[in-house]
Amino acid sequence: MADGHNHQADIDAYAQMQSPIHQWDTRWKIVGLLGLIAAFAMVQDWRFMPLLILITCLIYAASGMPWHALRHRLIIPGYVVAAIVIFLPFISGQTVLATLGPIIIFQEGIALSLLIAVRLFCIVTLAFVMFGTDTFVRTILALRALRLPDIMADMVLLTYRYLYEIGAFFAQMRLAARLRGFQGSVFSRQNINILASLVGHLFIRSYEKSERVYKAMVLRGYGSGGVRREIFHSGAADYVKTAVALLLAISLILMDQLL
Amino acid sequence: MHIPDGILPPLAWAGAYAVTGVITAVSLRKINQVDDPRAAVPKAAMMTAAFFVASSIFFPMPPPMTSAHFILSGTMGVMLGWYAFPAILIGLILQAIVFGHGGITTLGANALVMGVPALMVYGLFNRLRPRLTSDRSLWISGFLAGFCGVLIAAGIFYAFVIGTLPAEINQQAEINATLILILSHLPVGVVEGLFTAFLLNYLRRTRPDLIGMQQQPVT
Amino acid sequence: MTILSIQDLHFTYPETPVLRGLSLEINPGQHIGVIGPNGAGKTTLFHTICGVLKPTSGRITLDGEPIKAGRFHPRIGLVFQYPDDQLFSPSVWDDVAFGPLNMGLSADSVQERVTAALAETGMLALKERAPHHLSGGQKRMVAIAGIRAMQPELVLYDEPSANLDMRARRQLIEFIKRSAETILISSHDLEMVLEVSSRVILIDDGHIIADGDPKEVMGNETLMKAHGLERPHSLRPHVHLPDADFHLHD
């Protein structure tokens, strides 16, 4: 963002494709997939891992999105989880699986590591299906239709709208500073001071911008009531897809509890 | 410092969502008491965007580190007050959907990691503000705002991640590990504290109303 | 017959007087240029006319009805100096529909107005585009469409040709010339003001200094210089050339 590049196209990259998932009404899709995600995040029994992976891969395949796109979504959370999970086989559990000299490897630790890794993979993948098969704006409008408070939806959309401009403005400021000899990668008290001034200036300009945008909104009647455009239409296919997803989710939770 | 999906047990992530929901509702109500609710939307949005950009900056760090992102929770608390919590939540929603950073199930927990320190710093700074007449006092409180913001966030983060691991781990070992990990954030805390101190002084000289202060008479 | 009447308008902020007793009568259909140096009060004047700012004293009426600050007046439109501040919706269509929707119009009516406004400004093909993917000129025209869709009687343009390339500027000038509404244009682009206005008002230091025919007001060198301006090039005698019958070779 601070480099001024427009990253917003990324999530919308595959939004215009055709697939049974793309055609699923956004609101119902979110309900169904969130239900599945919640179920996945509740599963504690590691024996269900293959099932979770299977369901996830089937849904991703149904979406028609390319598999290489998934890689980008998995990298960063993957690293964070790996850093946390790497210790578990050595510290968590009672049943000893193996010993390497003084180091003990616990069975439960390994199972837990695998479970966490699988849960991460499945949740991130399903989330990508949920958000990647619609434009960002449609997703937020669907959330609003699902009772996300208007004020939150409006804020999210406005932030999204101006994120690029504000990022570009900061990139320009930094370039101007660099052209006058500022070396932002060197640590010094003076440099932190300069960066504080740059960021302070960014905040002031953003605040002033908000006042202008507010005037523009009020001038065209913001807050005077009025109706919003109805853009979502659902049919039988949507209800069926969501019902299947939710049934799957509930079954998973029950099976996990009972077995 | 975002908690990814898959790590937390259901009680933790669901409970965090509930608490975040309550704090968000309280924040929105507090905002509506002070501001025209219509004005709140563009103000929160622009500042959220600005903080989003600021949090993606690589700040130089003393060796052996090279650079780090700042958490900015302390700064948000001082500048945004009750707006800080919704702003953080919006930032997290954007990050999760557009960039896939953070987590979906852990949105509530991550909001607490960053939002609670912001509100705590706000509460403290609010009380101290009338007494911050000298440059030095503002400098010190700015440093503390940045520093405490980082450490409290780290504390909540590790409390979630380590505290919710299965109970087979030794309780004492957990606490020790948590403390060591929090201390590892000291360098960033100090540099962010420095940054925040400079920032607040800059704002007092230019737009003191953005930190809730009056224009200083020119001497 | 007056459409807009301003009587003894004062605006002071916070301690500084910005508008010092301005009075003005505007007739329907007029295209009026508002010129003056920076800090003269042009933008403040525009903001009080639309009701964004509350005057310290004085009266503004549109068709006889007083303008109340803070209220929604769809019969007056303001095109901002920086269209970026004005295009806050996720798509071009949504932004142009914003005003009509807030006016409480039916879905069909909104559809009609938005389509018409986009067609008039030549932006119909871009209706699903996100605003930050538009060029400066395109943003300007979409902002105008957003005002047009409310079908205002009076439109105020604040520095409309700033940052436009020649082509976009020409498009804008032709658009304004074709417009049937009553228009007030504040601009430093004096050549444009000369082309589109039937009347020019010179404002400085919160007062109206001159009000009249564009060629007379803007051609008065002493007057223009005295208020931080210059005569536009085409009104300087030695530069004015006849269009036709100009032969270079024998």
Side-chain angles (χ1 to χ4, degrees):
Chain A
M1 261 311 116
D3 56 4
H5 289 312
N6 189 353
H7 298 281
Q8 287 164 345
D10 299 345
I11 190 58
D12 292 352
Y14 307 106
Q16 307 298 344
M17 292 170 60
Q18 291 297 321
S19 81
I21 308 288
H22 284 84
Q23 281 153 4
W24 199 351
D25 178 279
T26 317
R27 302 165 298 174
W28 292 98
K29 174 171 62 185
I30 290 176
V31 170
L33 291 180
L34 270 183
L36 265 178
I37 286 175
F40 283 14
M42 287 198 245
V43 164
Q44 310 276 37
D45 192 332
W46 59 271
R47 289 173 295 172
F48 285 112
M49 283 181 335
L51 184 58
L52 263 51
I53 297 177
L54 181 67
I55 296 172
T56 303
C57 290
L58 283 175
I59 293 179
Y60 193 82
S63 77
M65 294 197 292
W67 288 92
H68 66 77
L70 190 53
R71 202 165 38 96
H72 294 293
R73 301 290 280 199
L74 286 169
I75 289 182
I76 292 183
Y79 270 123
V80 179
V81 160
I84 294 170
V85 141
I86 198 89
F87 298 105
L88 286 178
F90 306 105
I91 52 174
S92 171
Q94 300 136 321
T95 321
V96 175
L97 190 64
T99 50
L100 299 169
I103 301 173
I104 309 170
I105 301 177
F106 295 105
Q107 184 179 306
E108 289 87 353
I110 292 200
L112 184 59
S113 298
L114 286 174
L115 178 66
I116 290 177
V118 167
R119 281 202 304 224
L120 173 77
F121 169 78
C122 294
I123 293 174
V124 168
T125 305
L126 281 188
F128 186 44
V129 169
M130 186 164 57
F131 299 135
T133 51
D134 258 306
T135 59
F136 176 75
V137 173
R138 275 188 77 94
T139 301
I140 300 300
L141 293 177
L143 286 172
R144 179 157 67 190
L146 290 170
R147 296 284 176 270
L148 176 76
D150 274 1
I151 189 171
M152 289 294 293
D154 285 350
M155 285 186 198
V156 175
L157 287 172
L158 255 190
T159 306
Y160 179 72
R161 162 66 185 90
Y162 286 108
L163 197 52
Y164 172 67
E165 265 90 6
I166 290 182
F169 172 70
F170 189 75
Q172 206 172 33
M173 267 207 293
R174 250 219 319 220
L175 175 63
R178 205 174 73 209
L179 288 172
R180 288 199 287 154
F182 176 61
Q183 288 174 294
S185 53
V186 173
F187 176 79
S188 70
R189 203 183 139 103
Q190 174 69 342
N191 273 4
I192 297 294
N193 196 358
I194 293 173
L195 282 165
S197 298
L198 289 175
V199 172
H201 188 218
L202 173 74
F203 287 158
I204 293 175
R205 288 289 293 262
S206 302
Y207 190 82
E208 288 171 350
K209 195 176 183 73
S210 81
E211 291 173 325
R212 293 194 301 269
V213 171
Y214 172 54
K215 282 197 181 134
M217 294 174 87
V218 165
L219 269 172
R220 287 198 286 151
Y222 186 62
S224 298
V227 196
R228 294 191 200 267
R229 201 165 50 135
E230 187 55 65
I231 58 172
F232 297 112
H233 308 282
S234 53
D238 303 307
Y239 310 140
V240 168
K241 287 172 188 168
T242 303
V244 167
L246 290 179
L247 271 169
L248 207 51
I250 295 172
S251 320
L252 272 171
I253 297 173
L254 285 175
M255 284 195 296
D256 183 66
Q257 291 295 315
L258 298 172
L259 295 175
Chain B
M1 223 190 287
H2 292 153
I3 308 170
D5 289 306
I7 294 183
L8 298 183
L11 202 60
W13 62 257
Y17 255 113
V19 176
T20 291
V22 168
I23 299 181
T24 307
V26 169
S27 301
L28 290 177
R29 199 169 311 141
K30 289 281 183 187
I31 290 170
N32 286 342
Q33 279 170 5
V34 177
D35 249 336
D36 179 0
R38 298 181 305 172
V41 171
K43 201 193 298 193
M46 274 338 118
M47 296 315 289
T48 300
F51 271 98
F52 197 101
V53 170
S55 67
S56 68
I57 300 171
F58 279 106
F59 287 90
M61 294 287 291
M65 298 176 78
T66 45
S67 62
H69 291 306
F70 285 169
I71 310 253
L72 299 177
S73 288
T75 312
M76 282 202 249
V78 171
M79 287 186 69
L80 301 181
W82 283 106
Y83 280 92
F85 202 87
I88 286 167
L89 192 56
I90 292 167
L92 288 171
I93 291 173
L94 270 170
Q95 276 207 309
I97 298 180
V98 179
F99 302 103
H101 298 167
I104 297 293
T105 57
T106 49
L107 210 61
N110 285 325
L112 293 179
V113 167
M114 294 179 61
V116 166
L119 291 178
M120 287 174 73
V121 166
Y122 170 55
L124 200 59
F125 191 81
N126 227 4
R127 223 157 287 180
L128 286 177
R129 199 183 290 123
R131 294 196 250 151
L132 299 177
T133 43
S134 70
D135 272 354
R136 188 181 156 81
S137 61
L138 184 64
W139 210 97
I140 293 174
S141 57
F143 177 85
L144 285 174
F147 180 77
C148 295
V150 173
L151 288 203
I152 298 173
I156 300 178
F157 176 81
Y158 290 116
F160 264 117
V161 172
I162 295 180
T164 56
L165 288 176
E168 284 102 342
I169 304 177
N170 183 340
Q171 183 88 324
Q172 188 55 44
E174 264 185 26
I175 296 176
N176 290 346
T178 309
L179 283 173
I180 292 175
L181 285 165
I182 293 175
L183 288 177
S184 72
H185 288 268
L186 265 175
V188 176
V190 168
V191 180
E192 187 170 330
L194 191 69
F195 169 82
T196 312
F198 283 132
L199 178 67
L200 291 196
N201 263 292
Y202 175 89
L203 287 174
R204 172 139 81 176
R205 285 195 321 262
T206 51
R207 281 290 296 257
D209 57 310
L210 292 191
I211 50 173
M213 291 185 164
Q214 310 281 50
Q215 196 79 36
Q216 296 287 80
V218 179
T219 42
Chain C
M1 189 182 61
T2 312
I3 185 175
L4 183 74
S5 170
I6 300 174
Q7 287 152 17
D8 199 33
L9 191 65
H10 287 264
F11 185 82
T12 303
Y13 180 84
E15 310 283 306
T16 327
V18 181
L19 296 177
R20 305 171 195 252
L22 230 108
S23 296
L24 192 55
E25 305 281 321
I26 293 174
N27 293 336
Q30 281 188 316
H31 289 187
I32 302 175
V34 177
I35 62 176
N38 280 344
K42 307 192 296 290
T43 299
T44 306
L45 173 63
F46 277 17
H47 284 198
T48 45
I49 293 176
C50 313
V52 168
L53 291 174
K54 190 169 147 74
T56 316
S57 70
R59 218 169 116 82
I60 305 177
T61 55
L62 182 75
D63 276 340
E65 282 170 46
I67 300 288
K68 292 209 177 77
R71 285 266 201 85
F72 177 29
H73 299 105
R75 288 156 68 209
I76 306 182
L78 171 62
V79 180
F80 280 47
Q81 188 169 353
Y82 300 106
D84 194 65
D85 298 336
Q86 200 166 10
L87 302 182
F88 44 75
S89 303
S91 74
V92 165
W93 178 274
D94 286 320
D95 202 270
V96 177
F98 188 80
L101 282 172
N102 286 326
M103 288 163 72
L105 300 172
S106 71
D108 286 334
S109 202
V110 171
Q111 173 94 3
E112 260 179 59
R113 289 197 182 203
V114 173
T115 313
L118 285 172
E120 278 161 21
T121 50
M123 294 286 116
L124 198 52
L126 299 175
K127 64 181 161 80
E128 294 302 335
R129 196 76 70 86
H132 50 274
H133 289 150
L134 299 174
S135 72
Q138 289 168 337
K139 281 186 187 177
R140 177 81 58 192
M141 294 315 282
V142 172
I144 293 175
I147 298 300
R148 262 296 177 87
M150 298 195 297
Q151 290 177 2
E153 292 163 42
L154 173 66
V155 181
L156 310 176
Y157 287 88
D158 196 352
E159 297 293 343
S161 66
N163 292 317
L164 294 185
D165 66 16
M166 282 290 116
R167 194 182 305 157
R169 177 180 171 276
R170 179 47 48 189
Q171 212 189 348
L172 175 76
I173 291 177
E174 296 307 322
F175 179 84
I176 292 179
K177 281 181 5 188
R178 284 197 307 267
S179 305
E181 307 110 352
T182 313
I183 292 180
L184 279 162
I185 307 171
S186 162
S187 182
H188 290 303
D189 183 350
L190 300 180
E191 292 290 352
M192 176 185 73
V193 171
L194 198 57
E195 255 195 85
V196 306
S197 317
S198 52
R199 178 178 163 197
V200 158
I201 296 171
L202 197 166
I203 296 185
D204 194 4
D205 205 31
H207 294 289
I208 293 183
I209 308 294
D211 180 354
D213 176 71
K215 290 211 182 79
E216 280 174 29
V217 174
M218 293 201 285
N220 184 332
E221 175 155 12
T222 328
L223 180 68
M224 295 294 273
K225 281 262 164 72
H227 297 283
L229 300 170
E230 287 178 359
R231 280 184 296 179
H233 250 27
S234 50
L235 291 184
R236 298 185 194 187
H238 60 285
V239 182
H240 186 69
L241 297 167
D243 281 333
D245 297 309
F246 186 78
H247 297 283
L248 262 178
H249 313 289
D250 57 344

